[in-house]
Amino acid sequence: MKHLRSTPKDRAFFATYARLGKTIKSSGYFAQVVSALTEVSGIFAAALSVLYPILQELAIYPAAAVAIIGTAVLEIGLRVTIPQAVDAVLYKRWQGLHLAMSIAVFILGFVLLATSGILSYQNSKTVVDAVVVEPERDSLAIQGAQIDYNANQAKAAEAYRSDSTATAQRYQERLAAEQTAYAGKIGAAKRELSNVYNRERRTGQSFATAKDGARQKIANLEAEEATAIAGIKAEEGEALAALLAEHKAALAEIKTTYQEATASLEGEFQEAKGERAATVDGYGGGLAYFTVICLFIFLSAVILERIHAKGSGIEETVELAQHDISPPALTEAWSALTERLQVNLRQRITAFAEKTPPPPLPPSPAELYDPTALANVEVRLQLEREQDEPVIQVRPKRRQIGFLRADPERDLNSTRKKQDHETETPPDALPEGADPETLAKLNTGQLKQRLKMYKKRLGRHTQKKLKAERAGDAPSDRTLNAIQNNEQWVQLYQHLLNERLK
């Protein structure tokens, strides 16, 4: 379908605003492009937020398809409905069905225009947010600060471990020296006590005062040893506590240094993030108002273009082609496919029906008889035999019962037909419509097929004749003529087959 525009009737009016009309038309397309860019981003973001929980990473593809289709519906709909609405006003289409169409076009155009404006205005910040680069944390600096923090902690732990080990070893040596010194003193005091006991045994006297003094000396030395050991351990504990306090202070200093470094990096990141948010807000708001201006430009372009066309006397006509009114190509393809299937299926059914033999003639009723009335004759035959040889008895053969035809004339006709078939003679005259040249061109297979076809027809018309006779009616002349004609064809093809097979 082609949309044709006639030449302008008022050339002066057309020439006056031709340049303006061309320029404003291009501006209208540009305004639609800007509006479409802001719309597609918003539709894409909304569709992605809905589909992502379901499709995960694959949601981007259906979301993009939805955004493109939705934007195309809005913009193409505006490009079609707004000019129609303007023409409805210019040409005063307010009568009859034009009124209904004009109202529908106005409503649809208003809905599309409002939707486009709202989406463009609200999604302007989305577009700017997608364009402006997102600030990133200085990962290298943060990683370096973390490495320094871990290294300083390791150094402090190693220093504390070495210092505490050396301090403990030093005090262990002092403790061992003190224990050795007091062990000698206590040993000397114990020998003095032993000497007192030995002297008592030699002299037989009692030295209780000397023994008490020796025992007291031993107790005093043990007390002094315990006091010295306790003092050394107390000093060791104080030294280790001092080392632990120094270690904790070093760790706190290292942690403070690390926190100050990371806080500085985080402050720089937040500052960059705030600057980006301010940029998005500023440019996003400006783009929002710009999209509204673009919609206004689009409306102005459409209105001025339609006024210019009407003032110039340009008429629009539609040229139809056969494809515009014919069914869709897919519909015709489906119809052709179903017709082909129907034809092939029905051909197979017809071929199967042609190969089906005609139904047989009804059998003659069986003869009824009384078994009690049959003669029961016994014949005894005695041959010349020697003495003591057995006697041979022969019973007479009974008449075969059953499977007899009630109509002897039909049996006679069947026998005659069989004899005629075996000794068939060529027909006296060709059937009506037989062409000798055509018959001579047929091969053996075609002759057998036609003979089978005419036998089926002969059987079918014979059944009609028998049915009429059973009902007490005379067969119609058409049936009798058909039987005679088919018998001639059967005789003819049988004769031709016999000639071929000789």
Side-chain angles (χ1 to χ4, degrees):
M1 184 169 56
K2 299 180 181 179
H3 293 270
L4 305 177
R5 301 182 68 181
S6 65
T7 57
K9 296 179 180 178
D10 191 346
R11 292 184 176 274
F13 185 86
F14 178 80
T16 301
Y17 300 103
R19 186 176 180 182
L20 175 63
K22 184 177 181 180
T23 304
I24 199 69
K25 185 176 181 180
S26 301
S27 301
Y29 285 113
F30 172 76
Q32 274 198 292
V33 170
V34 174
S35 178
L37 290 176
T38 55
E39 291 168 3
V40 71
S41 60
I43 299 176
F44 174 78
L48 184 63
S49 63
V50 174
L51 297 176
Y52 188 81
I54 303 173
L55 302 177
Q56 299 298 325
E57 289 78 6
L58 298 177
I60 186 173
Y61 302 106
V66 171
I68 293 172
I69 294 173
T71 304
V73 169
L74 289 175
E75 297 303 327
I76 295 174
L78 286 174
R79 178 54 63 177
V80 174
T81 57
I82 299 302
Q84 288 290 337
V86 175
D87 287 347
V89 177
L90 294 177
Y91 293 97
K92 299 180 180 180
R93 295 171 181 169
W94 312 115
Q95 302 295 329
L97 294 177
H98 286 292
L99 177 60
M101 291 295 292
S102 299
I103 293 174
V105 166
F106 269 100
I107 295 174
L108 183 59
F110 176 77
V111 172
L112 292 175
L113 189 64
T115 304
S116 176
I118 293 172
L119 288 176
S120 299
Y121 186 84
Q122 292 183 350
N123 296 322
S124 298
K125 290 186 179 181
T126 304
V127 175
V128 176
D129 185 72
V131 173
V132 178
V133 180
E134 183 77 23
E136 296 181 358
R137 290 183 172 86
D138 192 352
S139 58
L140 294 177
I142 294 175
Q143 187 176 2
Q146 183 68 37
I147 293 173
D148 293 340
Y149 175 68
N150 294 334
N152 293 331
Q153 278 189 328
K155 290 179 181 179
E158 183 64 26
Y160 171 71
R161 184 165 49 252
S162 61
D163 292 343
S164 60
T165 302
T167 301
Q169 186 177 2
R170 186 172 64 252
Y171 280 98
Q172 286 297 327
E173 292 174 356
R174 285 183 59 188
L175 184 63
E178 289 290 336
Q179 287 177 346
T180 301
Y182 278 100
K185 294 178 181 180
I186 293 173
K190 287 182 178 180
R191 282 193 299 272
E192 290 179 4
L193 180 61
S194 178
N195 292 333
V196 173
Y197 281 109
N198 292 331
R199 190 168 51 180
E200 282 181 344
R201 285 194 298 270
R202 287 193 306 268
T203 62
Q205 297 178 0
S206 175
F207 299 99
T209 304
K211 289 190 293 184
D212 292 338
R215 290 191 187 98
Q216 183 64 40
K217 185 177 180 180
I218 294 172
N220 292 335
L221 289 174
E222 289 178 350
E224 290 177 3
E225 181 185 11
T227 303
I229 291 173
I232 292 172
K233 289 184 177 181
E235 291 180 6
E236 181 184 6
E238 291 176 358
L240 293 175
L243 290 176
L244 180 60
E246 292 178 1
H247 175 64
K248 289 182 177 180
L251 291 179
E253 184 178 359
I254 293 170
K255 186 175 181 180
T256 302
T257 303
Y258 171 72
Q259 290 177 348
E260 289 177 354
T262 54
S264 176
L265 294 174
E266 183 66 22
E268 293 177 0
F269 171 73
Q270 294 297 333
E271 183 179 358
K273 195 172 181 180
E275 292 178 357
R276 181 183 180 278
T279 302
V280 171
D281 291 338
Y283 285 96
L287 182 60
Y289 288 108
F290 181 68
T291 55
V292 175
I293 295 173
C294 287
L295 282 179
F296 177 76
I297 293 173
F298 166 71
L299 287 175
S300 302
V302 173
I303 294 171
L304 292 177
E305 179 189 0
R306 303 313 298 168
I307 293 174
H308 182 234
K310 183 178 186 304
S312 301
I314 298 174
E315 298 179 355
E316 295 183 358
T317 57
V318 176
E319 180 180 344
L320 290 176
Q322 183 61 35
H323 299 297
D324 297 323
I325 58 177
S326 297
L330 293 178
T331 303
E332 292 187 351
W334 177 255
S335 177
L337 178 61
T338 53
E339 288 181 3
R340 174 62 63 88
L341 293 176
Q342 287 285 340
V343 169
N344 292 338
L345 182 61
R346 293 180 184 277
Q347 284 179 350
R348 293 179 181 274
I349 294 174
T350 302
F352 180 78
E354 291 293 337
K355 294 179 181 179
T356 304
L361 296 174
S364 300
E367 182 180 0
L368 298 177
Y369 63 92
D370 187 4
T372 60
L374 295 177
N376 190 7
V377 180
E378 292 186 2
V379 178
R380 179 181 295 270
L381 299 178
Q382 186 172 0
L383 303 177
E384 294 182 0
R385 59 185 181 82
E386 296 293 337
Q387 189 176 6
D388 298 329
E389 287 185 354
V391 177
I392 300 175
Q393 294 182 355
V394 179
R395 294 181 179 274
K397 185 178 181 181
R398 291 187 178 184
R399 178 176 60 85
Q400 184 178 3
I401 62 176
F403 302 100
L404 297 179
R405 295 186 179 273
D407 190 358
E409 186 65 24
R410 177 180 295 179
D411 295 339
L412 180 60
N413 292 337
S414 301
T415 305
R416 288 176 180 174
K417 288 183 179 180
K418 183 175 182 181
Q419 293 174 354
D420 293 343
H421 178 70
E422 294 176 353
T423 60
E424 186 176 0
T425 59
D428 299 334
L430 295 177
E432 182 180 356
D435 186 5
E437 296 181 358
T438 304
L439 295 174
K441 295 180 181 178
L442 298 177
N443 55 28
T444 304
Q446 293 173 336
L447 290 174
K448 290 181 179 180
Q449 187 176 3
R450 294 197 177 190
L451 175 61
K452 186 176 182 179
M453 179 183 67
Y454 282 106
K455 282 184 177 181
K456 288 175 62 176
R457 293 182 179 180
L458 178 60
R460 185 165 62 251
H461 291 294
T462 303
Q463 290 292 332
K464 291 183 180 179
K465 177 183 175 184
L466 294 176
K467 184 178 180 180
E469 290 177 352
R470 292 192 194 99
D473 299 331
S476 63
D477 295 338
R478 182 177 179 180
T479 302
L480 297 176
N481 293 334
I483 293 175
Q484 182 180 2
N485 185 32
N486 285 297
E487 287 178 349
Q488 292 177 358
W489 282 107
V490 169
Q491 294 176 4
L492 174 61
Y493 283 116
Q494 186 65 54
H495 172 70
L496 293 176
L497 281 174
N498 292 336
E499 292 294 331
R500 295 282 179 90
L501 298 176
K502 284 181 180 181

